[in-house]
Amino acid sequence: MTPFDPLETRSQDARCADHALALPRVVAAALQAPALAAHLGQQDAATIMDRAALARLPVLRKSDLSGAQAAHPPFGGLSARPLAEFDHVFQSPGPIYEPGRVAPDWWRLGRFLHASGIGRGDVVQNCFSYHLVPAGMMFENAARAVGATVLPAGTGQTELQVIAARDIGSTAYAGTPDFLKIILEKADEMGVALQITKAVVGGGALFPSLRDFYAMRGITCRQCYATADLGNVAYETDAMDGMVVDEGVIVEIVRPGTGEPVPEGEVGEVVVTTLNTDYPLIRFATGDLSAVLPGTSACGRTNMRIKGWMGRADQTTKIKGMFVRPEQVAALVAHHEEIHRARVIATRDGEKDVMTVRIETRASNPALYEASVLSTLKLRGEVELVPPGSLPNDGLVIEDLRRYD
């Protein structure tokens, strides 16, 4: 493996030492942004030097971004820099506005393209959208960072995509996982042979059957986990042993509805801190579920790995006409030190909703928790006690088993 830069192969001690220098600068930049300063409260940036200190800060949610931006467009006081200092401004559904720069690898996706074997001499057919949203520019920026040539193809117009790929000799594809299949099938229909042998995808699930389809066509397909707000978070490598976390972020996995980090291997919500002082998102909750994998990748990169996308953390469910939220379940657990974990299960009995609260504890009397269930969840439900370790490790704290078909 040839690393993208020395950061990928540094020791964990060196990484922690670098974080100790970077985190205070990022937190200080956040405290200069009005909305983030109000969110973070009174903080001494110089003391935020490691994960333990970071975990004491509040979690920032997408609703916080959209609320602040609605009040103070476009960035809602989430950056101390004025709009004029950025090269681009994008709009994502919400609407939420994100800044961008043409500075080399500003979104850090070059690391992903390099790990996927894309570099000088490649022609990347960039089929991410260039319309309002940042994805197209994110991958164009990445391709330039590795020295590749870019065809800014965007979405749709499949026949023209095939003709352009043939005429200029595209060797790599960037886009959503399924659109390349559409292009390849159109090429077959037209009797056109394409030279694409590499694919970097995001923005949707890469199902094993689709990856196998590409492999049978001689195309190596790798996926990343990136967002419009954060840029690259993690990415696959040739080792195919999970996703390596990007060097420009710090990733935590927390219990849904809280900011409390979970033990290694336990499924929880992905929370990300960017080390970018231009747009310093501190403990930004993605709403996605994942888990930390033990050890380091066989590819030689030394940063932590995550399993990748494992579902959504926002499991808010309406039961008996009342919303039950993950943070309420977390409050129930926090109220009793002997409770390890809890899960709310919604079912139906005829035409009635039924709520069961399954609690991991060594206690044996369900009546001990009935009052707490009512006070935290605002609903009465059946309490079931199970031994510690009994609940599945899937990140769910609210499970809706009702069927509406």
Side-chain angles (χ1 to χ4, degrees), residues 173 175-185 199-223 236 240:
Y173 163 89
T176 55
D178 54 350
F179 188 51
L180 176 57
K181 184 173 187 287
I182 295 171
I183 292 174
L184 294 172
E185 289 174 341
V200 286
V201 302
L206 174 59
F207 295 102
S209 58
L210 189 56
R211 197 197 293 267
D212 291 343
F213 172 85
Y214 293 141
M216 290 177 65
R217 305 284 295 243
I219 298 171
T220 300
C221 186
R222 299 284 181 263
Q223 63 182 327
E236 290 182 334
M240 294 301 292

Side-chain angles (χ1 to χ4, degrees), residues 12-255:
Q12 294 297 354
D13 287 344
R15 186 173 285 111
C16 289
D18 289 342
H19 286 172
L21 296 175
L23 272 172
R25 291 196 293 265
V26 173
V27 175
L31 292 173
Q32 295 298 311
L36 291 177
H39 173 76
L40 291 170
Q42 295 294 321
Q43 300 291 339
D44 180 358
T47 67
I48 312 299
M49 301 177 65
D50 56 22
R51 287 177 174 272
L54 198 59
R56 293 195 292 268
L57 300 181
V59 167
L60 180 71
R61 298 200 171 273
K62 192 173 283 284
S63 57
D64 298 321
L65 269 64
S66 56
Q69 291 187 357
H72 303 286
F75 301 137
L78 296 163
S79 173
R81 302 187 187 277
L83 176 61
E85 291 192 16
F86 292 102
D87 301 304
H88 294 102
V89 58
F90 303 97
Q91 184 198 75
S92 293
I96 290 177
Y97 296 94
E98 299 101 4
R101 288 188 183 277
V102 294
D105 209 26
W106 194 79
W107 288 277
R108 307 174 317 282
L109 280 155
R111 192 179 302 282
F112 168 46
L113 268 63
H114 176 81
S116 301
I118 297 173
R120 192 168 301 279
D122 279 308
V123 178
V124 178
Q125 187 144 336
N126 186 5
C127 295
F128 280 106
S129 176
Y130 282 78
H131 177 65
L132 288 178
V133 297
M137 290 305 300
M138 290 168 71
F139 276 80
E140 175 158 329
N141 188 261
R144 290 182 177 184
V146 298
T149 300
V150 181
L151 171 65
T155 59
Q157 298 181 300
T158 313
E159 188 169 323
L160 290 179
Q161 298 267 8
V162 171
I163 293 170
R166 177 197 64 193
D167 292 348
I168 69 169
S170 296
T171 60
Y173 163 89
T176 55
D178 54 350
F179 188 51
L180 176 57
K181 184 173 187 287
I182 295 171
I183 292 174
L184 294 172
E185 289 174 341
K186 174 59 73 171
D188 291 344
E189 180 184 314
M190 297 168 61
V192 173
L194 300 182
Q195 300 177 45
I196 295 172
T197 59
K198 307 164 190 174
V200 286
V201 302
L206 174 59
F207 295 102
S209 58
L210 189 56
R211 197 197 293 267
D212 291 343
F213 172 85
Y214 293 141
M216 290 177 65
R217 305 284 295 243
I219 298 171
T220 300
C221 186
R222 299 284 181 263
Q223 63 182 327
C224 69
Y225 173 34
T227 77
D229 318 278
L230 300 164
N232 192 24
V233 175
Y235 57 98
E236 290 182 334
T237 71
D238 285 342
M240 294 301 292
D241 53 2
M243 287 187 165
V244 177
V245 169
D246 181 71
E247 298 295 339
V249 297
I250 296 175
V251 168
E252 301 170 87
I253 307 295
V254 307
R255 189 156 285 111

Side-chain angles (χ1 to χ4, degrees), residues 251-270:
V251 168
E252 301 170 87
I253 307 295
V254 307
R255 189 156 285 111
T258 78
E260 176 190 350
V262 300
E264 182 181 279
E266 186 171 325
V267 178
E269 183 176 12
V270 179

Side-chain angles (χ1 to χ4, degrees), residues 238-386:
D238 285 342
M240 294 301 292
D241 53 2
M243 287 187 165
V244 177
V245 169
D246 181 71
E247 298 295 339
V249 297
I250 296 175
V251 168
E252 301 170 87
I253 307 295
V254 307
R255 189 156 285 111
T258 78
E260 176 190 350
V262 300
E264 182 181 279
E266 186 171 325
V267 178
E269 183 176 12
V270 179
V271 169
V272 182
T273 296
T274 60
L275 303 179
N276 180 352
T277 55
D278 286 342
Y279 194 55
L281 298 181
I282 309 294
R283 302 202 81 203
F284 182 75
T286 64
D288 296 324
L289 294 173
S290 192
V292 174
L293 293 168
T296 56
S297 174
C299 72
R301 294 171 179 85
T302 57
N303 208 348
M304 66 182 277
R305 294 172 300 139
I306 60 175
K307 286 188 176 180
W309 188 81
M310 299 177 67
R312 292 293 293 170
D314 184 5
Q315 302 153 29
T316 298
T317 303
K318 185 176 281 188
I319 305 173
K320 301 180 185 179
M322 296 284 289
F323 282 110
V324 178
R325 306 178 188 278
E327 51 266 35
Q328 292 172 280
V329 183
L332 171 65
V333 173
H335 193 67
H336 298 273
E337 62 179 17
E338 74 275 14
I339 294 181
H340 294 258
R341 290 189 296 172
R343 177 180 297 217
V344 170
I345 301 170
T347 55
R348 296 280 285 176
D349 181 7
E351 298 302 316
K352 297 188 300 182
D353 285 344
V354 175
M355 182 179 78
T356 302
V357 184
R358 199 162 287 161
I359 294 173
E360 282 191 0
T361 177
R362 298 192 186 282
S364 57
N365 183 6
L368 292 172
Y369 305 107
E370 290 174 354
S372 295
V373 166
L374 180 59
S375 64
T376 55
L377 304 182
K378 311 304 180 187
L379 291 171
R380 296 188 186 277
E382 180 181 350
V383 177
E384 291 183 0
L385 306 185
V386 298

